[in-house]
Amino acid sequence: MNVMPLRLAFVPLLDMAPLAIAHELGFARSEGLALELIPAPSWSSLRDMLLWGQIEAAHILAPLPVAMALGLGGAVARVDILQNLSMNGVVVAVSAKLADALRVAGHGFGFEDARIAAADLAQIAPACLRIGVPFPFSTQAMLVDYWLRGTGIGYELCTIPPPRMADALGAGEIDAFCVGEPWGSVAVETGAGALLLPSRAIWAAAPEKVLAARHDWIEENPAATGALMRAVWRAGKWLADPGNRQTASELLARPEYVNAPPELLDRALRGEMIVTPRGELRKVSGMIRFHEGAASFPWRSQAAWFATQLAERHGLEPGASMRSAKAICRTDLYRQYLRGVGADLPGASEKLEGALSHPMAVASERGTMILPSDRFFDGQVFDPTLPER
């Protein structure tokens, strides 16, 4: 069988798993693709590789294509979101010094309540909290801004590549960070800090990474686009099987992928997080999701939420920003290419974000779709239609 070579870039994180699994377990090969997975040292370098055609597709921060659609971040081409790669999987950590101060102040490291965490942090935080994030246009930066808004905590965001986060925290370069696993757990293992929150405590269904490609490449290569989406979707479905977690952890731990201890990767996949160097265990349902609950569907409303946050921060018109963000979410291609492999397709391509406090069955083609809670910690509900009325 003839195979088509495709170059895909990633940053070493647990949530690049669907790409590694698609390659290693033959899902890509069965679709006629030969994947070359290329690690990138930073999100800026990965973005530039994609924009300048050095790769065909990428594992990329969910808000980054949105930012590019809004004309931010030096975009020279339109980049489309083909599907979500992961939901959640991010942690907020604080330095050992702040962790000790929090404990003295009575914080119990419950790892679940964003309001309590912010209130306790406000009591002991320095005048300006230095918080590491992987990129300015990242889910991490968006969630930190959203969480700390109105708390009275002064902070600055510092861009640090994910694999360097634990070292930066331990060296005192930053006071806290928000990053994807396993780099938060690495900070706990090395004694550099403690975990304060999972990202799902701020937004219960936050899209984290997406599969993205240049719009012009997608238009010129429909067969390859469909094949890649099917391979990645099948990989995500495989990852959703609890029986595959150990195999996935061992595979991802390899130097060419995440290059981290497999037990740390396994913890995040199981949602059993060690949150302090004392060994305190917290169980987190839905710590990271690749497939279940329509996790891979590229909801236009999620992109629209990112767009409104970026518009507020950069003085852009919200309605126009939302329209631009929705346009790059290729729900049309998701429906076209994944219907035949068994994906249950929602009846709509956008929804109220933050409206679900509990899992709920929703209209879908196969009638089997149950969406998990997508609640924001403050109870806000985002309506993606309001600015367009």
Side-chain angles (χ1 to χ4, degrees):
M1 179 178 69
N2 293 328
V3 295
M4 178 179 181
L6 284 186
R7 300 163 297 177
L8 279 71
F10 67 93
V11 169
L13 288 153
L14 173 60
D15 51 34
M16 64 79 58
L19 302 189
I21 297 302
H23 174 58
E24 295 285 347
L25 271 64
F27 295 116
R29 178 70 60 166
S30 69
E31 291 287 347
L33 301 176
L35 302 186
E36 179 185 0
L37 302 183
I38 304 169
S42 67
W43 291 112
S44 58
S45 62
L46 182 147
R47 173 202 59 195
D48 293 345
M49 292 166 70
L50 184 59
L51 287 174
W52 295 106
Q54 296 172 312
I55 54 175
E56 281 72 54
H59 152 262
I60 200 167
L61 296 156
L64 186 45
V66 175
M68 289 189 275
L70 273 55
L72 303 171
V76 296
R78 171 175 159 174
V79 171
D80 287 352
I81 296 171
L82 296 172
Q83 63 202 85
N84 288 343
L85 289 177
S86 63
M87 307 287 285
N88 305 324
V90 168
V91 294
V92 176
V94 295
S95 68
K97 179 180 178 180
L98 286 182
D100 289 343
L102 280 167
R103 201 178 290 278
V104 169
H107 187 72
F109 290 91
F111 204 57
E112 62 180 0
D113 193 314
R115 287 185 181 273
I116 289 175
D120 290 350
L121 188 60
Q123 295 182 50
I124 57 90
C128 184
L129 197 66
R130 299 164 300 166
I131 305 176
V133 294
F135 200 67
F137 305 125
S138 63
T139 305
Q140 290 87 342
M142 303 282 188
L143 292 180
V144 167
D145 279 339
Y146 187 76
W147 171 49
L148 295 182
R149 189 180 303 160
T151 62
I153 298 174
Y155 63 94
E156 64 172 323
L157 300 181
C158 309
T159 301
I160 299 174
R164 279 207 64 244
M165 285 287 189
D167 288 343
L169 191 68
E173 297 173 28
I174 51 176
D175 305 301
F177 64 62
C178 185
V179 75
E181 278 292 280
W183 305 114
S185 291
V186 168
V188 174
E189 289 294 305
T190 60
L195 304 186
L196 190 61
L197 288 173
S199 58
R200 72 177 315 280
I202 302 172
W203 183 7
E208 177 50 33
K209 302 299 188 306
V210 298
L211 178 66
R214 282 174 53 137
H215 178 78
D216 55 359
W217 183 84
I218 294 169
E219 295 300 299
E220 293 165 7
N221 298 275
T225 298
L228 177 60
M229 293 178 68
R230 288 189 295 271
V232 170
W233 184 87
R234 287 186 171 115
K237 184 178 180 181
W238 183 91
L239 283 161
D241 184 342
N244 294 330
R245 288 171 183 159
Q246 182 175 351
T247 300
S249 300
E250 293 172 354
L251 189 156
L252 293 166
R254 295 178 187 173
E256 63 266 34
Y257 295 130
V258 184
N259 193 26
E263 58 269 22
L264 301 191
L265 299 167
D266 185 55
R267 282 181 203 167
L269 289 174
R270 288 186 285 114
E272 297 181 359
M273 304 298 294
I274 303 297
V275 300
T276 71
R278 298 183 180 188
E280 292 165 290
L281 173 69
R282 302 290 183 262
K283 295 187 177 182
V284 184
S285 175
M287 177 65 196
I288 186 167
R289 294 191 291 114
F290 299 101
H291 180 76
E292 62 275 22
S296 63
F297 189 75
W299 295 97
R300 294 175 183 169
S301 45
Q302 293 171 347
W305 186 83
F306 288 133
T308 59
Q309 303 300 304
L310 289 168
E312 180 178 351
R313 188 186 305 174
H314 295 276
L316 304 176
E317 201 282 311
S321 297
M322 287 175 59
R323 286 188 289 273
S324 296
K326 291 179 183 182
I328 66 166
C329 293
R330 299 306 301 270
T331 56
D332 58 330
L333 298 184
Y334 190 98
R335 296 176 187 281
Q336 177 182 348
Y337 293 132
L338 297 182
R339 178 178 283 112
V341 295
D344 195 4
L345 305 173
S349 292
E350 58 186 60
K351 58 187 175 70
L352 295 175
E353 296 293 338
L356 300 181
S357 297
H358 305 283
M360 178 177 292
V362 297
S364 66
E365 287 192 2
R366 293 175 178 266
T368 60
M369 183 170 289
I370 299 176
L371 297 182
S373 169
D374 65 354
R375 187 179 181 276
F376 291 101
F377 80 98
D378 57 2
Q380 292 293 311
V381 175
F382 173 70
D383 185 340
T385 66
L386 287 177
E388 299 188 325
R389 287 177 179 169

